[in-house]
Amino acid sequence: MAQVNKEIISTVRPTDVKTWLTYETMSPLGRELMKIAEELEASDEMEMSEDEIERELALRRGEH
């Protein structure tokens, strides 16, 4: 039998900010998202797994 690789591989990819992109050249949405990302990085919050994110979204939608 083939051996199953049980290593968990995340499907969530980190954001790759282009080196030529600056705060001044970003769109207003890009600036807001960058601000949120910086706040999250500076916080003591643990990163959520993809399953935890799905559960959180379901709860916010009113699902069980």
Side-chain angles (χ1 to χ4, degrees):
M1 269 191 187
Q3 187 176 11
V4 177
N5 184 356
K6 294 186 179 185
E7 181 181 335
I8 298 174
I9 299 172
S10 175
T11 58
V12 179
R13 292 177 285 144
T15 302
D16 182 28
V17 178
K18 308 298 182 212
T19 56
W20 51 265
L21 188 61
T22 66
Y23 189 79
E24 291 77 27
T25 61
M26 286 183 187
S27 68
L29 175 60
R31 290 185 196 132
E32 185 65 25
L33 293 173
M34 182 65 76
K35 179 181 167 190
I36 292 168
E38 289 169 351
E39 290 172 3
L40 286 171
E41 191 171 314
S43 75
D44 290 334
E45 292 288 323
M46 295 293 295
E47 291 183 17
M48 297 172 76
S49 70
E50 191 169 350
D51 289 336
E52 291 170 325
I53 293 169
E54 291 297 328
R55 278 194 298 273
E56 179 74 18
L57 290 173
L59 286 172
R60 290 180 183 216
R61 291 181 190 125
E63 301 169 16
H64 296 305

